[in-house]
Amino acid sequence: MIAYIEGRLTHKEPAYVIIDVNGVGYEIRISLQTYSALPEGEKCRLHTHFHVREDAQILYGFADRAEKKIFLDLMSVSGIGANTALMMLSSLSSMEIQQAIVSEDVRTIQSVKGIGSKTAQRVILELRDKVKKDLYLTSSTQTLPVTSGNTIRNEALSALTTLGIPRNVAEKSIDTVMKQEGSSLSLEQVIKLALKVS
């Protein structure tokens, strides 16, 4: 329905952005991949998917078509909804997901919070042939954001709770990661590691 949205990026958080298009602000849910790729305060274009549920209408946005395609592919698998697909794209890059599917690497797919062994096997079984055909379309170039300690903790907490992780679990996971790894981690790294811990 809405193929893409182009406008000025007015607000950016790890879990969502707001893009102003001629005075109308669109709130769009994003993955960490897209978060990393978006320049703050500049004009940008997000490829979108408009998802309608009984209780909500949500716009999901992606920095490139390849990420949108893998998102839609993941959602086509029984047992994987939009939030789980977005969490997968926040935990692993599009290329990592595709390579795991093609190489039948159940462990990598299962490393994403909320993905069990059966679901990981189903992803591989249902998407392997499709991904093999599309693999050349995906590019995995990303830039990592630079932010400081407490800001990183707060933004990571916001992102994890938006992804559906209870606040107390998210706080514990972030604290564990920051104690183990130190404060030199980027926001994206903190969130990825916290998703694996929680």
Side-chain angles (χ1 to χ4, degrees), residues 79-94:
I80 294 186
N83 287 338
T84 303
L86 198 65
M87 188 173 294
M88 289 179 77
L89 287 164
S90 291
S91 300
L92 303 166
S93 71
S94 301

Side-chain angles (χ1 to χ4, degrees), residues 74 80 88 92 96-102 104-117 119-121 123-124:
L74 288 168
I80 294 186
M88 289 179 77
L92 303 166
E96 287 170 330
I97 292 170
Q98 290 176 315
Q99 287 172 343
I101 290 168
V102 169
E104 300 182 28
D105 182 357
V106 174
R107 185 177 290 170
T108 297
I109 296 169
Q110 204 176 332
S111 72
V112 177
K113 181 176 175 21
I115 302 290
S117 176
T119 305
Q121 290 170 0
V123 167
I124 290 168

Side-chain angles (χ1 to χ4, degrees), residues 29-34 49 51 53 60-62 67-94 97 109 112-115 119 123 127 163 195:
R29 297 278 305 273
I30 59 169
S31 71
L32 283 176
Q33 288 183 64
T34 297
H49 169 71
H51 190 68
R53 300 189 319 226
Y60 292 91
F62 310 94
E67 186 186 4
K68 178 180 176 180
K69 177 155 189 1
I70 197 74
F71 174 82
L72 295 173
D73 288 346
L74 288 168
M75 277 188 27
S76 73
V77 175
S78 173
I80 294 186
N83 287 338
T84 303
L86 198 65
M87 188 173 294
M88 289 179 77
L89 287 164
S90 291
S91 300
L92 303 166
S93 71
S94 301
I97 292 170
I109 296 169
V112 177
K113 181 176 175 21
I115 302 290
T119 305
V123 167
L127 297 181
L163 287 170
L195 281 169

Side-chain angles (χ1 to χ4, degrees), residues 170-191:
E171 285 177 337
K172 192 174 178 183
S173 300
I174 292 165
D175 291 341
T176 302
V177 166
M178 293 184 96
K179 277 180 191 168
Q180 288 174 350
E181 305 293 331
S183 58
S184 62
L185 294 174
S186 71
L187 175 60
E188 183 179 37
Q189 290 168 325
V190 170
I191 295 170

